Amino acid sequence: MALPGQESQSRLLADGEPAAGTAEESSADESHKERIDRELAELLQGLRVMVTGVQVLFAFLLAMPFQSGFAKLDTSGLWLFLVALTGSATASLCFTTPAVQHRLLFRTGLKEKIVHRANDLGLAGAIALAVAVTAAMALVAEVVLGNWLAIVFGAAAALATSWLWFLQPIIDLRRQAAADPPQTTP
């Protein structure tokens, strides 16, 4: 069931065939303003999902120095902690900035600029979060298992975030571009 203001992606044509494409692709009946409004709402919703995970990681890292075992970290552990803390702080900043800017620039006619900036910040935040998750995994593995296995767990986290968050979508974009050659106008 679609929420008010959302189109169902399972629309049927008059002959009973499914409509081609998604709501993003069928912009013939969507004005420029409606498209920008939809894109901003989609971006802000995606950032809300990401910021929750970042807040949990950031809170955990902020509390770590006040734990009794923190003083036992060696130099590599301290560096991993600082990288994870910096990455989570950067991701948190990137994921919350679009909402703050949207509030400050409300009704100024700059919504399209906000959408483009929010997309860029979302990507930067995802990279920072990938770094933070990788460093946090390596830090925990170093404390629990030692330096050698910390490298393995950190590498696994880096590979997973790289593949799932970045490489798969890039491959999909390239495949789509290869399947849909550019159209020329007569």
Side-chain angles (χ1 to χ4, degrees):
M1 181 169 105
L3 297 173
Q6 290 182 330
E7 292 184 9
S8 172
Q9 293 186 7
S10 60
R11 295 178 306 170
L12 297 178
L13 297 175
D15 60 1
E17 290 294 318
T22 65
E24 289 178 356
E25 294 169 346
S26 61
S27 61
D29 55 344
E30 184 179 51
S31 73
H32 180 74
K33 182 187 177 315
E34 290 170 334
R35 181 179 59 82
I36 297 300
D37 289 344
R38 177 182 51 79
E39 288 176 352
L40 181 60
E42 289 173 357
L43 271 168
L44 291 177
Q45 182 58 34
L47 294 174
R48 280 186 203 103
V49 170
M50 299 288 285
V51 79
T52 303
V54 169
Q55 288 173 335
V56 170
L57 178 60
F58 194 36
F60 164 75
L61 292 167
L62 286 174
M64 270 188 70
F66 303 103
Q67 304 301 314
S68 59
F70 187 78
K72 297 176 187 173
L73 286 179
D74 61 5
T75 303
S76 62
L78 291 173
W79 277 107
L80 287 171
F81 168 76
L82 287 173
V83 168
L85 183 68
T86 303
S88 63
T90 302
S92 182
L93 183 64
C94 288
F95 293 151
T96 57
T97 295
V100 173
Q101 288 189 3
H102 180 250
R103 292 294 58 171
L104 289 171
L105 299 174
F106 187 67
R107 293 188 177 174
T108 60
L110 296 173
K111 192 178 286 187
E112 189 166 3
K113 179 180 252 53
I114 294 169
V115 169
H116 291 287
R117 189 176 291 153
N119 187 61
D120 293 343
L121 286 165
L123 291 172
I127 291 167
L129 181 56
V131 168
V133 166
T134 299
M137 282 292 295
L139 173 61
V140 171
E142 188 209 15
V143 169
V144 174
L145 303 169
N147 283 336
W148 170 247
L149 287 172
I151 294 169
V152 172
F153 277 86
L159 288 172
T161 56
S162 295
W163 174 251
L164 294 170
W165 293 359
F166 305 108
L167 296 175
Q168 274 187 331
I170 289 169
I171 290 169
D172 290 342
L173 285 172
R174 289 192 176 173
R175 285 181 180 160
Q176 182 183 16
D180 298 333
Q183 297 177 356
T184 58
T185 53

